[in-house]
Amino acid sequence: MSAENLLATLERDPSAPLLPVYLVLGEEGFLIDEVLRVLRQRTMEGGIAGMNDDRFQAGEASVDAVLQTAKTLPMMARRRWVLVRQLERWEKKAESDDERKRASPLDALAAYAEAPCPETVLVLAGEKLHGQRRIVTMAKKQGFLVSCEAISRYKLPAWVERRAKGMGHR
């Protein structure tokens, strides 16, 4: 689904259910930030700010830490928010035999996505991943891929006008 469709759905229907996993990919940083803001806001409704809000940078944190956090039940809230940014940093090529034998962090995330914790919203954000990766193909099939591609220059004026009207401006 496109970022535009997801944002429109979440803004139009406040009771729309959230998915337990979102893969947010694209080069348009503004759209990525907007999707993350809206998803986080919806996830944290009714909870205590900062209590169930976890953020990670791929490459700086291990995939095991991310998955352990995603499997932790929320405290005094309905849901837990877990965000992993710069996902493409986990896509690097294995350099040694030991690294080749170990499962890729992206494959571990795909395994989690097969049976995610329903009380967690895990958002995986990055610019680009190879389309043949298991997590990407699964996201396309199951509908949790959010595409944040740059808006073409021809569609940009209408997009800006819609955004302004949505914010209450002429």
Side-chain angles (χ1 to χ4, degrees):
M1 81 186 85
S2 71
E4 290 276 320
N5 292 345
L6 176 65
L7 292 171
T9 300
L10 293 176
E11 289 171 3
R12 183 177 55 247
D13 184 6
S15 64
L18 293 175
L19 300 174
V21 180
Y22 287 94
L23 179 60
V24 181
L25 296 177
E27 296 177 1
E28 186 56 56
F30 176 79
L31 281 177
I32 290 174
D33 290 344
E34 188 72 7
V35 167
L36 297 180
R37 182 187 65 75
V38 171
L39 285 174
R40 182 182 177 280
Q41 182 180 12
R42 286 285 306 278
T43 301
M44 301 306 293
E45 284 175 354
I48 298 171
M51 190 78 126
N52 296 293
D53 183 350
D54 298 287
R55 299 163 192 227
F56 298 94
Q57 295 287 328
E60 294 176 14
S62 72
V63 72
D64 295 330
V66 170
L67 294 176
Q68 184 177 9
T69 302
K71 293 175 185 175
T72 303
L73 293 175
M75 182 179 286
M76 295 188 283
R78 290 184 1 221
R79 293 189 220 65
R80 172 176 292 283
W81 165 260
V82 181
L83 170 63
V84 181
R85 283 189 171 265
Q86 297 179 334
L87 199 59
E88 61 277 355
R89 292 174 72 184
W90 276 336
E91 194 175 36
K92 69 177 182 113
K93 302 274 188 244
E95 295 170 2
S96 69
D97 287 339
D98 289 340
E99 289 179 353
R100 285 188 195 102
K101 291 177 186 173
R102 257 186 275 138
S104 157
L106 296 175
D107 290 339
L109 292 170
Y112 171 82
E114 289 174 354
C117 179
E119 291 84 15
T120 298
V121 175
L122 173 63
V123 180
L124 309 168
E127 281 190 21
K128 188 174 185 176
L129 293 178
H130 191 280
Q132 297 298 315
R133 285 276 182 194
R134 187 170 146 215
I135 187 76
V136 176
T137 58
M138 180 185 295
K140 287 177 185 175
K141 283 181 186 175
Q142 296 181 7
F144 63 88
L145 176 65
V146 180
S147 176
C148 296
E149 296 306 320
I151 300 164
S152 75
R153 67 185 331 192
Y154 302 107
K155 295 180 181 179
L156 194 56
W159 182 83
V160 169
E161 188 176 324
R162 277 194 315 274
R163 297 289 298 169
K165 284 181 181 177
M167 295 177 179
H169 303 289
R170 294 186 291 151

